[in-house]
């Protein structure tokens, strides 16, 4: 059975369960519990014959033996018991609840949909991609808010392609969501290194990847996602459930790939005497940070800098405010440009993320040892935003839309790049290349360190291409695209006003 068939089979049953009030997210969670139990049972049988971490009393056969209310009660007790255990069991089943309303529907999922497949023998690509398909469908349900944990896979693939992780390198995501970056890095290493030795394969499975996730339910989905792709074991938990900004964990990594959560600055609601409600900003104070701020995105940039090994490399998705915000933002940008090699910025268009109002970029930098002179020599910017129009439904981003960026990045030797933008009014050392994407329409352009720090607040919010829609009404995008972009712009502006209002309220 192929991936699409399995996803469709599992997803069709979700529509039945929605009549009982079960959400998409609840359904994927219940699938996670049952898939784990089924696969643990399969591994305990020949030819694997591995000891199962699940006690016999709660193992998969115990579900098959029961029906009706007896099955219902047994399933609820199994979730409670397994969630209290250490290791991977505790991570998968922690705080688990039975969301089924009808025992007959639970029985059908156990016997027909999951029980009839052999999941362990199914290739990692099929079962892993099937689970990814369910996660993406869940992210598309904007009411659930699950989209905030889901980074578009074509964007992840392009980022991993230019970062090119190697066997033996450690990879981390301090805000891992459902694990998209970690899985793409794993797939890249496997695909580009077909002759891995057995020790290398073991290291890749149990020592290479580590993620942090604040939300228990999301961490559960991530752990299952990675397990289905062959990463992790009962002895090795690749996911840590806590606030990664709370402290320096002490771990250091060769590669960091992350899309930290966007949104409001951190704050805590306090109920005082007589029920008076106030908000107090959660300012992160750490000795390893350059400055103190309540802006989560700025704190994640500093956190990533800490997590990197010397000469380690990072790709971080950041909202526009990280590029231009003053105060702590300016301090962090100046420090980052001086102490790291900030070499690439990818400006992303709107319409990519399930959370509306997101105007984002990908910042690429390498951590460097202390030096008397700034490490950033030149920042290369690729503008995928101006005159580019994407929507999630009618024109979603494809991997080929990022081909020019990947080629221009030149992963084999990023120090040998060629600009595609030239000022045609200035002399150029060689004949101006011909063709679309060159000259004044070129999307690749480099800025020297001296130019960057001379800008107001050392802003990296840089544009140079002309917006065609401002001068040529015949080239306007489709009405639905314009409408979606207006919504994104308004949502982004509203988010900025929320931040300002929260800041003012916190000061009061």
């Amino acid at each position: 059975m192929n991936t699409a068939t399995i996803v469709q089979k599992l997803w069709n049953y979700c529509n039945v369960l929605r009549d009982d009030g079960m959400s998409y997210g609840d359904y994927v969670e219940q699938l996670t519990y049952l898939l784990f139990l089924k696969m643990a049972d399969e591994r305990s049988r020949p030819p694997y014959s591995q000891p199962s971490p699940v006690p016999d009393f709660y193992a998969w056969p115990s579900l098959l033996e029961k029906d009706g209310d007896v099955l219902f009660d047994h399933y609820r007790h199994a979730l409670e018991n397994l969630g209290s255990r250490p290791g991977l069991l505790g991570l998968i089943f922690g705080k688990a609840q039975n969301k089924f309303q009808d025992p007959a529907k639970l029985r059908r999922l156990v016997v027909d949909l999951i029980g009839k497949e052999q999941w362990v023998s199914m290739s990692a690509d099929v079962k892993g991609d099937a689970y990814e398909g369910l996660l993406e469908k869940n992210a598309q349900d904007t009411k659930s808010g699950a989209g905030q944990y889901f980074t578009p896979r074509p964007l992840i693939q392009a980022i991993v392609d230019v970062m090119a992780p190697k066997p033996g390198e450690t990879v981390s995501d301090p805000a891992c969501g459902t694990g998209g970056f970690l899985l793409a890095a794993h797939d890249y290493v496997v695909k580009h290194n077909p002759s891995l030795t057995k020790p290398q394969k073991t290291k890749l499975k149990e020592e290479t990847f580590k993620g942090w996730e604040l939300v228990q339910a999301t961490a559960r989905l991530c752990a299952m996602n990675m397990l289905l792709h062959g990463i992790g074991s009962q002895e090795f938990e690749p996911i840590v459930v806590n606030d990664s900004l709370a402290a320096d964990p002490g771990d250091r990594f060769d590669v960091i790939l992350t899309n930290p959560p966007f949104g409001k600055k951190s704050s805590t609601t306090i109920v005082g005497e007589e029920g008076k409600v106030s908000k107090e900003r959660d300012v992160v104070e750490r000795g390893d940070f350059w400055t103190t701020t309540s802006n989560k995105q700025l704190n994640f940039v500093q956190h990533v800098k800490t997590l990197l090994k010397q000469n380690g490399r990072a790709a971080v998705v950041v909202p526009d405010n990280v590029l231009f915000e003053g105060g702590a933002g300016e301090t962090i940008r100046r420090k980052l440009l001086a102490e790291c090699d900030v070499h690439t910025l990818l400006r992303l268009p709107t319409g990519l993320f399930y959370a509306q109002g997101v105007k984002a970029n990908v910042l690429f930098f390498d951590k460097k040892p202390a030096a008397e002179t700034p490490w950033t020599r030149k920042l290369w910017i690729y503008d995928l935003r101006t005159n580019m129009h994407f929507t999630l439904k009618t024109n979603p981003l494809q991997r080929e839309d990022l081909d020019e960026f990947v080629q221009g990045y030149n992963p084999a030797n990023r120090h040998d790049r060629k600009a595609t933008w030239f000022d045609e009014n200035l002399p150029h050392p060689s004949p101006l290349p011909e063709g679309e994407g060159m000259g004044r329409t070129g999307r690749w352009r480099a800025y020297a360190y001296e130019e960057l720090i001379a800008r107001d607040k050392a802003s990296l919010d840089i544009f140079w291409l002309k917006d065609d829609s401002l001068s040529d009404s015949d080239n306007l995008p489709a009405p639905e695209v314009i409408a979606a972009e207006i919504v994104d712009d308004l949502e982004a502006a509203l988010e900025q006003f929320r931040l300002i209002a929260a800041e003012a309220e916190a000061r009061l």
Side-chain angles (χ1 to χ4, degrees):
M1 189 179 292
N2 62 30
T3 306
T5 306
I6 292 175
V7 171
Q8 200 57 52
K9 180 180 175 183
L10 292 174
W11 207 248
N12 284 344
Y13 194 54
C14 177
N15 295 326
V16 175
L17 293 171
R18 290 197 69 185
D19 294 338
D20 283 355
M22 188 182 288
S23 70
Y24 289 128
D26 291 339
Y27 177 60
V28 176
E29 249 190 3
Q30 301 301 312
L31 280 177
T32 298
Y33 308 145
L34 296 171
L35 276 173
F36 185 91
L37 293 173
K38 177 66 161 68
M39 288 178 14
D41 180 61
E42 288 177 15
R43 285 200 181 97
S44 70
R45 302 176 185 279
Y48 310 101
S49 302
Q50 298 173 359
S52 173
V54 182
D56 290 344
F57 188 74
Y58 297 114
W60 180 256
S62 72
L63 298 177
L64 295 175
E65 294 163 359
K66 297 173 178 59
D67 201 351
D69 291 340
V70 176
L71 170 62
F72 226 49
D73 288 342
H74 180 75
Y75 179 57
R76 179 170 56 83
H77 288 306
L79 296 182
E80 291 174 358
N81 183 281
L82 298 174
S84 65
R85 294 174 181 266
L88 194 59
L89 275 178
L91 181 57
I92 295 288
F93 292 95
K95 301 179 182 177
Q97 293 181 330
N98 175 17
K99 296 293 179 72
F100 285 92
Q101 302 294 320
D102 181 354
K105 288 174 181 171
L106 170 60
R107 171 76 180 172
R108 186 186 163 196
L109 188 60
V110 169
V111 176
D112 294 339
L113 292 174
I114 294 179
K116 286 187 177 178
E117 302 293 339
Q118 288 297 310
W119 296 89
V120 171
S121 59
M122 199 181 292
S123 81
D125 285 343
V126 172
K127 65 191 176 193
D129 289 350
Y131 195 76
E132 275 275 290
L134 293 175
L135 292 176
E136 183 162 16
K137 281 181 176 285
N138 184 36
Q140 291 167 2
D141 178 27
T142 53
K143 293 178 185 176
S144 73
Q148 64 181 305
Y149 304 110
F150 197 89
T151 308
R153 278 5 185 194
L155 175 60
I156 287 179
Q157 289 163 7
I159 291 172
V160 171
D161 284 345
V162 298
M163 294 293 283
K166 302 175 182 64
E169 289 187 324
T170 51
V171 181
S172 176
D173 183 347
C176 62
T178 53
F181 273 116
L182 300 177
L183 293 172
H186 171 270
D187 292 346
Y188 182 94
V189 173
V190 171
K191 179 180 177 182
H192 289 81
N193 300 275
S195 301
L196 290 173
T197 64
K198 190 172 182 179
Q200 284 178 317
K201 288 179 180 177
T202 301
K203 185 177 178 68
L204 190 65
K205 179 182 178 180
E206 300 190 348
E207 299 175 37
T208 296
F209 303 99
K210 188 163 187 180
W212 279 263
E213 173 52 48
L214 180 61
V215 180
Q216 168 78 44
T218 308
R220 175 187 358 268
L221 300 182
C222 181
M224 190 67 202
N225 201 10
M226 296 183 74
L227 197 65
L228 288 168
H229 282 85
I231 305 169
S233 66
Q234 176 61 14
E235 291 72 36
F236 172 69
E237 300 169 61
I239 308 302
V240 178
V241 186
N242 69 15
D243 181 358
S244 61
L245 290 178
D248 175 5
D251 298 330
R252 298 294 180 263
F253 302 91
D254 297 293
V255 178
I256 294 181
L257 311 162
T258 188
N259 177 10
F262 291 10
K264 302 181 185 69
K265 297 185 180 184
S266 303
S267 63
T268 300
T269 301
I270 298 170
V271 181
E273 293 182 13
E274 300 177 358
K276 184 177 179 181
V277 177
S278 63
K279 286 188 180 294
E280 187 174 286
R281 286 183 298 164
D282 292 339
V283 177
V284 178
E285 295 189 34
R286 282 175 40 179
D288 55 312
F289 280 13
W290 289 310
T291 188
T292 299
T293 175
S294 61
N295 185 311
K296 283 191 292 189
Q297 291 83 35
L298 290 172
N299 282 329
F300 264 105
V301 171
Q302 299 184 90
H303 183 57
V304 168
K305 175 266 303 181
T306 291
L307 290 179
L308 283 173
K309 290 181 181 178
Q310 213 74 273
N311 297 311
R313 53 201 194 279
V316 187
V317 180
V318 296
D320 278 8
N321 69 73
V322 168
L323 303 184
F324 62 72
E325 193 169 297
E330 179 182 356
T331 300
I332 289 167
R333 283 191 299 277
R334 291 187 182 278
K335 285 284 192 181
L336 194 69
L337 289 166
E339 298 182 21
C340 298
D341 181 5
V342 186
H343 53 81
T344 310
L345 176 67
L346 169 61
R347 306 292 320 248
L348 296 173
T350 56
L352 300 190
F353 296 90
Y354 292 102
Q356 287 187 326
V358 173
K359 286 195 168 182
N361 317 265
V362 187
L363 197 59
F364 297 82
F365 61 90
D366 297 353
K367 185 174 181 177
K368 295 294 183 181
E372 294 182 2
T373 56
W375 275 104
T376 301
R377 308 283 194 268
K378 193 181 286 186
L379 173 64
W380 287 79
I381 302 178
Y382 185 80
D383 183 357
L384 188 66
R385 184 178 301 179
T386 308
N387 301 321
M388 299 295 286
H389 307 285
F390 296 95
T391 59
L392 289 170
K393 292 184 178 177
T394 59
N395 184 32
L397 180 77
Q398 305 294 333
R399 172 59 183 81
E400 50 265 29
D401 294 317
L402 290 148
D403 280 351
E404 187 182 67
F405 165 70
V406 173
Q407 291 162 9
Y409 186 108
N410 196 12
N413 181 9
R414 68 173 179 80
H415 299 288
D416 182 24
R417 293 177 177 173
K418 293 178 175 58
T420 59
W421 182 93
F422 307 102
D423 190 332
E424 293 153 345
N425 298 318
L426 297 175
H428 193 260
S430 59
L432 191 66
E434 295 181 358
E436 192 175 346
M438 297 295 186
R440 288 188 174 276
T441 61
R443 296 187 178 275
W444 263 116
R445 185 173 180 180
Y447 288 83
Y449 170 79
E450 291 74 21
E451 293 179 85
L452 300 172
I453 60 165
R455 292 172 55 82
D456 181 39
K457 300 176 185 174
S459 172
L460 304 181
D461 191 31
I462 301 172
F463 292 95
W464 64 90
L465 295 176
K466 184 177 72 172
D467 187 338
D468 292 342
S469 65
L470 298 177
S471 58
D472 185 359
S473 58
D474 292 334
N475 275 334
L476 288 173
E480 64 270 18
V481 174
I482 296 175
E485 290 184 350
I486 290 172
V487 170
D488 277 337
D489 286 341
L490 291 174
E491 289 275 2
L494 188 60
E495 185 59 35
Q496 288 300 312
F497 280 118
R498 283 197 189 101
L499 294 177
I500 294 168
E503 190 89 3
E505 186 182 353
R507 285 186 179 134
L508 290 173

